[in-house]
Amino acid sequence: MTLFQNAKFYTTVNHLKDLPDTPAEIAFVGRSNAGKSSAINTLTNHTRLAFVSKTPGRTQHINFFELPNGGFMVDLPGYGYAQVPEAIRTHWVKLLGDYLQTRRQLIGLILIMDARHPLKELDVRMLDFFALTGRPVHILLSKADKLSKNEQMKTLSAVKKALKPFTERQEVGVQLFSSLKKQGIEEVDAVVRQWFESHTAANTAADDAATSEPPQAT
């Protein structure tokens, strides 16, 4: 069973002040209609855990799901869809940006890109923006089933090459993914498990160091 199976909806928020106090979380983000909701549903083996719509920009809040290991999965608003009122779009941008840069519980980001159109300008800007946190990113090239096997390999190779400037700054991984064909589930699971395990190990080491410090002289 993967880490994502048996995920349960926890809460939805529209303002940073309402964010829950979680131990650790990973977040999913991507351009509108890149296949983010479908990827979440496939990973969790649930048909409607994340709402899938033909209308881009449907996810307008930050949605939290509790994972079986006690960590959390976060579904963030899609970016890059212009056909919404300016006030709403402005709110999305601020909410998304503030969350990504200030959320201390966020240990890694899953970035969804359509395999047919990877590394668009907004995707590159997202990578640049999140690089400032120093936290890892794992890219899912979704809808890989729309490409032939040869096209898949060429796309994966091209994206890896284009990502080299980013991998010099932070941990960035990339893989092919298909919700329709259930392709790439185990690879995502292994990456996210490692993130949570590393986070737990780091916290344990910090706690051990704190308890081993000699008392201060008075």
Side-chain angles (χ1 to χ4, degrees):
M1 186 177 74
T2 71
L3 179 65
F4 296 100
Q5 287 194 35
N6 297 325
K8 297 178 180 178
F9 175 76
Y10 187 75
T11 190
T12 183
V13 303
N14 196 29
H15 300 281
L16 290 181
K17 63 181 179 61
D18 297 322
L19 291 174
D21 185 15
T22 67
E25 59 204 39
I26 57 103
F28 284 72
V29 72
R31 283 185 291 120
S32 295
N33 219 25
K36 176 168 59 70
S37 294
S38 294
I40 290 173
N41 288 336
T42 298
L43 289 167
T44 58
N45 196 28
H46 197 295
T47 56
R48 288 181 65 84
L49 191 70
F51 187 73
V52 179
S53 172
K54 295 294 184 182
T55 305
R58 178 68 68 176
T59 305
Q60 300 179 14
H61 298 75
I62 296 178
N63 297 310
F64 284 77
F65 303 90
E66 188 170 8
L67 299 173
N69 72 341
F72 284 77
M73 173 180 71
V74 184
D75 184 12
L76 297 172
Y79 55 84
Y81 184 61
Q83 303 305 314
V84 292
E86 180 62 31
I88 293 178
R89 187 165 64 251
T90 299
H91 175 70
W92 288 358
V93 170
K94 180 168 175 52
L95 182 67
L96 186 62
D98 288 350
Y99 169 84
L100 290 172
Q101 292 229 311
T102 66
R103 183 68 168 169
R104 62 175 179 79
Q105 291 96 330
L106 180 61
I107 62 173
L109 186 69
I110 302 292
L111 177 55
I112 314 295
M113 299 182 194
D114 189 324
R116 299 166 297 178
H117 315 288
L119 290 174
K120 292 291 188 181
E121 179 185 355
L122 288 176
D123 297 325
V124 174
R125 285 169 59 183
M126 174 60 71
L127 285 167
D128 275 329
F129 183 77
F130 194 67
L132 298 175
T133 70
R135 294 166 184 159
V137 178
H138 191 64
I139 297 169
L140 303 190
L141 298 176
S142 67
K143 307 182 184 182
D145 54 277
K146 305 291 186 183
L147 302 176
S148 69
K149 289 294 184 182
N150 186 48
E151 289 171 334
Q152 288 183 21
M153 292 303 103
K154 284 184 176 180
T155 298
L156 183 61
S157 177
V159 171
K160 284 182 176 179
K161 183 177 181 180
L163 286 173
K164 284 186 177 179
F166 297 98
T167 58
E168 295 171 357
R169 297 184 284 175
Q170 66 188 126
E171 178 187 331
V172 181
V174 59
Q175 68 165 95
L176 295 164
F177 189 87
S178 169
S179 297
L180 183 65
K181 300 293 186 180
K182 305 290 192 292
Q183 174 186 355
I185 295 174
E186 294 80 8
E187 191 173 346
V188 187
D189 180 68
V191 169
V192 173
R193 280 182 186 274
Q194 189 272 324
W195 287 352
F196 277 114
E197 289 169 2
S198 295
H199 175 75
T200 300
N203 281 350
T204 299
D207 290 342
D208 290 345
T211 56
S212 64
E213 289 180 1
Q216 298 292 321
T218 57

